[in-house]
Every structure is written in structure tokens, then in C-alpha cells.
Amino acid sequence: MKINIRRSRRAAVAVVLGSALALTATACGDDGSGSAKSKGSEGSGKGEITFWDNNGGVRTDVWKQIIADFEKKYPDIKVNYVGIPAASAQSKFDTAIQGGGLPDVGGVGTAVLAEIAAQGALEPLDGRLARSELNGKLSENVLGVSKAAGGGDTLYHVPTSVNNGTLWYRTDLFKKAGLDAPTTWGKFYEAADKLTDQGKNAFGFTIRGGEGSIAPALDAVYGQSGITSFWDGDETTVNDPKNVAALEKYVALYKKDTPSADVNNDFTKMVAQWDSGTIGMLSHNLGSYQDHLKALGKDKFRGVPNPTLDDGTRVQVSNPVDGLGLFKASKNKAAAWKFIEFAASAAENSKFNESAGQVPTNVDAAQDAWIQQAEPTKLAAEALNGADTKIVQLPYYLPDWNTISKADNEPNFQKVLLGKMSAKQFLDTLADQLDKAQAEWKQNQG
């Protein structure tokens, strides 16, 4: 079975990296954390804890500020910071789960949450959150994404940060063409068509056809169809006729209202193309805001959440959520939980997300002045917390999700754009793979 292959891979990595991890093992908790099999203990609530940052280097400075704030409030707790580059974070956790040396607290995003939780390494946090001052202060929609990503109804990390799909558009071009902001799908398609003048190399939209194309395509599909669940029983809804029709309409933009180069564009090329040219709209997340600001200036563009249906209902697929996990092996869970609570509090969550350029998960932090002044982030926060927002939970918990959504189907999506595969064939193929992966996952749960 695939699960055994995955375990074998982890075991092999553990042999290679075990000696390096041994250097950090003694720094964890009061007495050093063990493997995932260790039950750990609550500890004294004082002493030392170790925190692994899963985006070391990029976020090191802001985490050191938060740690300094924490140690000022809790002078009897010392936090040992270990920065791990994002590209190696998953293998580092996998190796420590097998060989020992887990931290007390770690940055664990939804992309790897289910895999780490399935190995019994993470402490369920529902009870602790219910008794915490954080209870009721975290976005319910984001908590739903976190629980679904963990593979069920249990919370295995406290969400701290979330990105969001954003439709960037050129306000100067829209004004010149007399167009409304593309806040609904109808207005989006109207603008894509009206802003295109191929003779002048002007296009209404740039579509992502290269690496990373599947998630934005699914966002456009579910956003238009209005279907709010990824599963209907044990079968995916991805190839529902409404989704097929939505994808057909979306990919029909290619080469009609988009540049032909889009078929190979990943986000870097797509963003650079939009910033330097006369393209009306770009679908990407909040992370490209600074690039647009530098290239265009603040008065020539705007970022709004992905379009709504005509009745104002917003359906969007779940975005990756970062968060903090408490490891079962910790010998000082009381102190570790204090650190998680503190980092997710309004002031510190705001500080982290202002640095990251992302949306706070603490609803009080989402009201801070910097967000009100950064309109794309403000609108994204409102969309994520909005009563009319329906989030389709992508199955991050499936071990095969990354393979299915990347290696298996990114080339197929390019075939759809080029007219070599129909939208229905593409979605039927994707659905078949997902249904089989879901069945295998459920079997392994038993």
C-alpha cells in the first residue's frame, strides 16, 4: 500500500538526517522531547521550550520579536528558536517523528497537517482552545479549513495566518473603458472581453497555465458553479456538470482574452507579465502586492477577493493556512500552550501578519489599522470571515493530493488550454484519481 511506501521513505530520510537532528533533541522541553510515540507531560509551565519555525529565514525576524515579547511577559519561560527553511520543514518533522527530537511547538501548515497528525505526533487542541481566552477569537471559516485539512473534525494546530485568492485589476484601464470593478463573475467576463485588443497586444486577463495551475482553476470553477462541497458522499463533485460548464467558460478565455504565453506561465512569469504590460486582470494571492506596488504605483491597480455569484454569494476553495502545533512528545505542554496562545493573541497575530502580508486569523487583529489601510488585505479578511462566504475544503489530508494536483494534472490542464483535451475529460480524470485516493485513505483509517 502507498502508506507503507511513504513510511519507508520517512525511515530512509531518518537514517540520513538522524545525526543532525540529534544536535537539537536535547533542547526540547524540560528534559528533551522524544519520538511521536512519547506521550509527553504537562510539565511545570516554566523552564525551556523549543519552537521550530517552518519558514525560517523568511519569518525569523518577526518570530524573534514575538519570542522577545513572550519572554518579557513570561520571564520564567525561555523559548529556543530553530529556523527551518520551508522546503525542508516536512522532511525535518518526518525524521524527528521517526527518530526523536521533536520540538514542543512547531509551525505546521495545512499542506502537511494530516500527515503529521496521522503519525500521532500532534496534540488535539479542541479542549485547550475551548478553555482559552482565544476561544471565539479565531475565524470560524479558517478553523473549518484547519480541521478539514487534519482529516476530520479535530483541531491539530492553532491557525495563525492565511493567504487568500485575490483578483488584481488595473483601475486605470477599467476607468478608461468605463467598466465596473470585477466583483462578480459576470463583470469579470465582460471586462476580460472589453479590455482585449490583440492588435495592440492588450489583453483582459492572464490565466495561469504553468506550475501551480490547478488550485486557481478550481477556485474559478467552484466560484462560478456555486457548489459548496468537494465531496458528495465518497465521490468528488469536481466533475459535476456545473463545474464542467464553468471550466469550459474559464478556459475559453485562453488566447481569446489572454496572451498565448500563459500556457507555460507559473506565478512568477504571470505576475511579471501583468506588472509590465497592458493586461487588465490577474488572479493571484496577496503575496504579489508589493510587486504590483513597485511596478505600477498605488493608483493604477486594486486587489479584490475573487468574484461572487450574482446574488453576492462567494464560493472559494480553501487556501493554505499556517498554524502552530503542540507536539505530544513535549515534556512541558503547559508552557508550550502558553506560547501558542500568546502568538495567536490579537497584538502578536497582527504583528506577524503585517510582516508576512497575510490575513490574521484572530478576528480582533483583523480590525487593526494596518489592515484598514491595506485594502486588498482588508477585503480578503472580510471575505474570509463573511457570512456569505462558502469555503470548499480541498482534500489536503489525502496523501496523494499534491501528486494529483501537480504532477498528474498540471500537464493535462495545459492540454485543455491547447484544445487537446476537453474540460470534461480533464475533470473526469481528476475525479477518478481523487475518488480512488479518498477510498484508499478511508481504508487506511480503519
Side-chain angles (χ1 to χ4, degrees):
M1 292 188 300
K2 289 184 180 179
I3 192 167
N4 291 330
I5 293 171
R6 292 168 69 84
R7 286 173 179 165
S8 297
R9 176 183 64 80
R10 293 191 193 106
V13 173
V15 171
V16 176
L17 298 181
S19 58
L21 284 164
L23 295 175
T24 63
T26 56
C28 302
D30 280 354
D31 303 309
S33 291
S35 69
K37 296 178 182 178
S38 171
K39 293 182 179 179
S41 63
E42 284 299 303
S44 64
K46 301 178 181 180
E48 295 188 11
I49 59 172
T50 292
F51 164 56
W52 284 7
D53 173 11
N54 61 337
N55 199 2
V58 177
R59 305 286 181 237
T60 296
D61 288 345
V62 69
W63 273 119
K64 288 193 171 179
Q65 292 175 34
I66 293 170
I67 289 169
D69 292 344
F70 176 78
E71 291 179 343
K72 184 176 181 180
K73 181 174 180 179
Y74 297 100
D76 51 3
I77 303 175
K78 175 177 172 51
V79 180
N80 297 310
Y81 171 89
V82 179
I84 304 171
S88 57
Q90 181 173 355
S91 64
K92 182 99 167 176
F93 280 122
D94 282 345
T95 303
I97 289 169
Q98 296 298 316
L102 284 165
D104 301 278
V105 180
V108 182
T110 48
V112 300
L113 187 63
E115 181 176 343
I116 294 176
Q119 297 177 78
L122 292 170
E123 184 92 353
L125 298 177
D126 300 271
R128 292 179 191 267
L129 181 60
R131 299 187 297 270
S132 169
E133 291 182 0
L134 286 176
N135 191 27
K137 295 295 185 181
L138 300 177
S139 165
E140 288 297 327
N141 278 341
V142 177
L143 283 170
V145 173
S146 292
K147 289 181 179 182
D153 298 321
T154 302
L155 185 68
Y156 285 110
H157 78 178
V158 169
T160 54
S161 183
V162 61
N163 219 324
N164 200 50
T166 300
L167 184 62
W168 304 98
Y169 71 98
R170 290 284 298 269
T171 50
D172 54 343
L173 300 180
F174 270 68
K175 183 177 180 180
K176 185 178 179 180
L179 289 164
D180 292 334
T183 53
T184 68
W185 285 105
K187 291 177 180 179
F188 165 80
Y189 281 106
E190 178 189 1
D193 193 54
K194 192 167 184 179
L195 292 173
T196 298
D197 186 342
Q198 295 198 19
K200 296 181 178 179
N201 199 36
F203 297 94
F205 183 57
T206 174
I207 194 169
R208 187 168 180 168
E211 183 181 355
S213 60
I214 303 303
L218 290 178
D219 222 354
V221 164
Y222 280 95
Q224 294 175 81
S225 72
I227 295 171
T228 58
S229 176
F230 198 79
W231 299 102
D232 182 5
D234 289 329
E235 294 186 354
T236 181
T237 59
V238 77
N239 61 337
D240 183 282
K242 290 182 180 178
N243 281 341
V244 173
L247 184 60
E248 288 172 344
K249 188 171 185 179
Y250 183 68
V251 298
L253 293 172
Y254 177 64
K255 289 181 72 173
K256 180 174 79 75
D257 294 329
T258 81
S260 59
D262 281 357
V263 70
N264 293 313
N265 282 355
D266 60 11
F267 88 90
T268 304
K269 294 175 183 175
M270 188 175 63
V271 168
Q273 179 178 264
W274 190 72
D275 286 345
S276 63
T278 55
I279 299 172
M281 296 177 290
L282 160 74
S283 184
H284 190 241
N285 58 46
L286 293 168
S288 55
Y289 175 70
Q290 292 299 329
D291 291 329
H292 308 326
L293 195 62
K294 183 178 179 181
L296 301 171
K298 65 179 181 179
D299 296 327
K300 289 186 178 179
F301 76 97
R302 189 176 177 224
V304 296
N306 286 334
T308 69
L309 298 170
D310 288 340
D311 65 2
T313 300
R314 187 185 312 282
V315 180
Q316 63 181 61
V317 299
S318 54
N319 287 273
V321 176
D322 211 0
L324 297 173
L326 173 60
F327 284 85
K328 278 185 179 179
S330 171
K331 300 292 176 52
N332 199 350
K333 293 177 186 176
W337 176 248
K338 285 180 185 178
F339 178 68
I340 292 174
E341 281 185 306
F342 184 83
S345 66
E348 303 302 319
N349 192 234
S350 179
K351 179 181 294 184
F352 177 85
N353 283 284
E354 183 175 12
S355 171
Q358 295 183 333
V359 181
T361 53
N362 187 300
V363 294
D364 290 339
Q367 301 303 314
D368 279 0
W370 70 268
I371 289 188
Q372 306 309 309
Q373 294 163 11
E375 187 193 38
T377 308
K378 175 177 179 284
L379 294 175
E382 290 173 353
L384 283 168
N385 296 318
D388 291 329
T389 298
K390 312 297 181 185
I391 296 181
V392 179
Q393 308 292 354
L394 294 181
Y396 298 120
Y397 58 87
L398 291 178
D400 292 335
W401 169 247
N402 285 334
T403 301
I404 291 172
S405 63
K406 288 185 175 293
D408 288 354
N409 284 289
E410 285 177 356
N412 283 346
F413 186 69
Q414 290 180 314
K415 290 179 182 178
V416 177
L417 292 178
L418 294 170
K420 297 178 179 179
M421 176 181 275
S422 72
K424 186 176 188 306
Q425 287 173 319
F426 170 76
L427 291 178
D428 282 345
T429 299
L430 179 59
D432 183 61
Q433 293 168 335
L434 288 165
D435 289 346
K436 288 176 180 175
Q438 173 78 349
E440 183 177 357
W441 178 79
K442 290 193 75 171
Q443 182 180 1
N444 288 334
Q445 298 312 294

